[in-house]
Amino acid sequence: MDPRVDEIASALRGSRKYATLTASALQRIAAWALQRHPTTRAALQAARSKLHQAYGAYLTPGNLTAVERMVAALPMPAARDAVVEASRAVLARHASSAERLGFLSDLYPRLLGPPLDLPHVRRILDLACGLHPLALPWMGLSPETEYCAYDIDERLMRAVGQFLMKVGQTGRAEARDLMAWPVTPALPAADVVLLLKTVPCFERQERGASLRLLQSLEAPCVIVSFPARSLGGREKGMREQYEELALDLARGLRARMEPVAIPTETFYRLWR
Ligand SMILES: C[S@@+](CC[C@H](N)C(=O)[O-])C[C@H]1O[C@@H](n2cnc3c(N)ncnc32)[C@H](O)[C@@H]1O
C-alpha cells in the first residue's frame, strides 16, 4: 500500500469536519485520491472535495453539535409531543431530511403501507441514514421493530443511537463505511432496507456500488429515493436520469418497482 494513504487519512482525521468519520472510509478515500493525483497535496485536496460531496455538504460540524445537544436534552421517557418537536428541529439540521419536513405525515403511510404488513415488520435497515431515523415518530413502527441505522460518521451515529434509546425503539446505530467491500461485519437480513437519497452519491464514487451493496442483502423490500433537485437547485433532467438509475437497480435485483413521489423526492419501492 502507498505509505501516503496513512498520511492523507491522518490529515483528514485532523480536520474538524472529518475527525470522526470511520477509519476505513478515510483510508479508502485517501487511496482513491492517490490513484488519481500524483502529488500528496493534490490528492489531499481531491479527498477533501470527495468527502464534502459525500458527507460534508449535508451536515456541518456546527449543525452536528446542535443535534447532539437537542438529542441530549430530550428527557427519558419523553412525551410524544416533545419527541415530535425535537425531531423536527433535528431533521431540519441535515440538508437531506430538511427537504422532507413538510411531507412527513403523508409520506410514511404510503412508503411503509401495504403490501408491507407494518406491525409484523421485524427489522428495518436504514443505510447511509443521515438523520432520517429521527423521522421515527411519523413512521408508525412498533417499538419492537428493530431499527438498524448506519452512516459513515461515529459522532452522528452516537447521537442517532441515543435518540433510538430515548424514544424506546429497539435497534442500534453503527458507524460503517458502506462503500467498503465487502461491508464488514456483514449487515443482517431485514424485512425492509432503506437507501434514501444516497444512490447518486455512491454511484459518483464508484459505478455499480449501490447495486453491489443491495444485492448483498437479504431483504424482500428495498426502498431507494432520489432528490427532485440537486443541493445547488438544479432540476433539469434529474427525474429522468434518476428513474433510469432506479430501473437499473430494479433490473439488477430482479425486483418489481413502484414509485411513491412527494414534491421534493421520488421514492421507489422495489419488491423482490
Ligand atoms: C444525501 S444524504 C442522505 C441521508 C439520509 N439517507 C436521508 O435521506 O435523509 C447521504 C448520506 O450518505 C452518507 N454516506 C456517504 N458515504 C457513505 C458511506 N461510504 N458509508 C455510509 N454512509 C455514507 C452521508 O454521511 C450522508 O448522511
Side-chain angles (χ1 to χ4, degrees):
M1 186 181 76
D2 187 331
R4 294 175 303 161
V5 168
D6 281 340
E7 195 186 321
I8 291 181
S10 69
L12 294 169
R13 199 170 301 114
S15 71
R16 181 164 170 251
K17 229 171 153 183
Y18 304 124
T20 52
L21 294 200
T22 62
S24 118
L26 294 180
Q27 295 261 334
R28 179 175 55 76
I29 300 275
W32 171 91
L34 278 166
Q35 276 165 11
R36 286 157 183 81
H37 300 273
T39 67
T40 311
R41 194 188 152 99
L44 178 58
Q45 190 48 43
R48 281 209 183 96
S49 91
K50 192 47 94 184
L51 281 176
H52 178 76
Q53 242 180 37
Y55 167 78
Y58 300 100
L59 186 63
T60 62
N63 273 338
L64 182 50
T65 304
V67 165
E68 288 170 331
R69 288 210 190 101
M70 288 189 265
V71 173
L74 256 184
M76 198 180 148
R80 183 177 158 85
D81 285 357
V83 176
V84 165
E85 194 185 326
S87 297
R88 271 193 172 282
V90 171
L91 290 167
R93 297 279 178 166
H94 193 283
S96 215
S97 43
E99 291 181 346
R100 272 179 218 123
L101 272 177
F103 311 101
L104 294 172
S105 313
D106 293 340
L107 175 62
Y108 293 99
R110 294 163 70 202
L111 211 54
L112 301 176
L116 270 177
D117 181 11
L118 204 54
H120 293 105
V121 166
R122 285 156 304 170
R123 184 184 289 133
I124 295 183
L125 306 190
D126 191 348
L127 306 181
C129 63
L131 288 169
H132 179 251
L134 278 282
L136 270 165
W138 290 270
M139 292 187 206
L141 301 184
S142 143
E144 275 79 48
T145 301
E146 198 183 337
Y147 200 91
C148 302
Y150 305 92
D151 203 290
I152 206 173
D153 184 64
E154 284 166 8
R155 247 179 96 191
L156 171 66
M157 288 298 90
R158 272 198 296 277
V160 170
Q162 201 182 9
F163 177 81
L164 293 177
M165 188 189 70
K166 287 199 164 180
V167 301
Q169 187 71 43
T170 312
R172 61 198 126 107
E174 284 176 18
R176 287 287 182 88
D177 178 10
L178 298 171
M179 294 273 306
W181 195 252
V183 177
T184 316
L187 300 173
D191 300 295
V192 181
V193 167
L194 305 174
L195 182 61
L196 305 185
K197 281 197 191 156
T198 300
V199 172
C201 159
F202 279 9
E203 294 303 302
R204 268 197 298 271
Q205 290 177 67
E206 188 187 340
R207 243 183 117 192
S210 318
L211 181 60
R212 179 181 67 187
L213 173 64
L214 295 173
Q215 271 176 333
S216 74
L217 299 173
E218 232 179 277
C221 174
V222 171
I223 305 179
V224 293
S225 78
F226 299 87
R229 63 176 75 115
S230 70
L231 276 183
R234 194 172 66 88
E235 198 168 341
K236 207 161 163 258
M238 276 184 55
R239 259 187 210 272
E240 295 76 10
Q241 188 192 337
Y242 287 157
E243 187 175 27
E244 209 37 61
L245 268 178
L247 274 168
D248 283 348
L249 291 176
R251 274 186 221 111
L253 295 171
R254 297 173 196 274
R256 181 168 57 80
M257 179 168 117
E258 182 198 352
V260 172
I262 59 174
T264 53
E265 187 170 356
T266 306
F267 300 80
Y268 296 93
R269 306 207 293 175
L270 306 177
W271 302 98
R272 294 207 264 184

